[in-house]
Amino acid sequence: MAKKRVFISFDFDHDEDLRNLLVGQAKNPDSPFDIADWSVKEPLTGNWEDKVRERIRKTDLTIVICGEWTHTATGVAVELKITREEKKPYFLLWGRSDKNCTKPNTALDSDKIYKWTWDNLKKLIGGAR
């Protein structure tokens, strides 16, 4: 089975370390996914949303890493909104097991934040269509 291409959405100001962990997990020999690491490191101006939309279109799904401040991260909120508009599957990961993690403010009430384990990642990615 071909590996799925994943777009990672995360709070750049607070959770870049979590993104780095997920990128590392993608390098595991039994990983069902590759990271399309197109994190936007520029201000939210101009055609930023268009750039993100194009990047999300080129992936199979989006993983949203949730940390303590994700509810305040404007970029994450926009990336999740675009993911849904593009009808791409997505899921939310609880980034910090010892902290109170929050959903992006554009998340649906029904969106569950999943515990970040290797088994969960493989199941969630394998089930994304």
Side-chain angles (χ1 to χ4, degrees):
M1 172 164 65
K3 290 186 175 190
K4 296 203 175 168
R5 292 184 59 165
V6 172
F7 181 89
I8 304 173
S9 181
F10 66 100
D11 178 356
F12 189 79
D13 293 332
H14 299 102
D15 298 325
E16 187 175 14
D17 60 321
L18 298 176
R19 192 246 334 157
N20 294 340
L21 288 172
L22 189 58
V23 168
Q25 284 187 304
K27 295 176 183 174
N28 286 340
D30 62 337
S31 174
F33 65 102
D34 285 320
I35 301 297
D37 190 18
W38 293 316
S39 304
V40 178
K41 299 169 181 72
E42 57 198 59
L44 301 178
T45 60
N47 65 352
W48 178 86
E49 288 187 32
D50 292 338
K51 291 177 186 176
V52 169
R53 184 176 303 278
E54 188 59 35
R55 292 169 184 180
I56 289 172
R57 282 180 180 157
K58 293 178 181 178
T59 62
D60 299 308
L61 72 141
T62 296
I63 297 175
V64 180
I65 302 174
C66 298
E68 293 177 90
W69 303 102
T70 304
H71 65 289
T72 66
T74 306
V76 176
V78 170
E79 290 166 352
L80 180 55
K81 179 179 80 71
I82 291 170
T83 295
R84 276 202 307 273
E85 288 172 357
E86 294 298 321
K87 298 182 179 11
K88 296 287 185 173
Y90 67 92
F91 60 88
L92 312 180
L93 278 183
W94 193 278
R96 302 192 184 279
S97 61
D98 60 338
K99 304 287 184 188
N100 184 27
C101 298
T102 61
K103 294 180 183 182
N105 64 16
T106 55
L108 303 175
D109 289 340
S110 59
D111 287 339
K112 177 182 176 183
I113 305 179
Y114 292 92
K115 185 176 180 180
W116 187 344
T117 66
W118 185 236
D119 284 342
N120 270 354
L121 269 177
K122 290 194 292 188
K123 286 177 194 169
L124 291 164
I125 292 168
R129 306 218 186 284

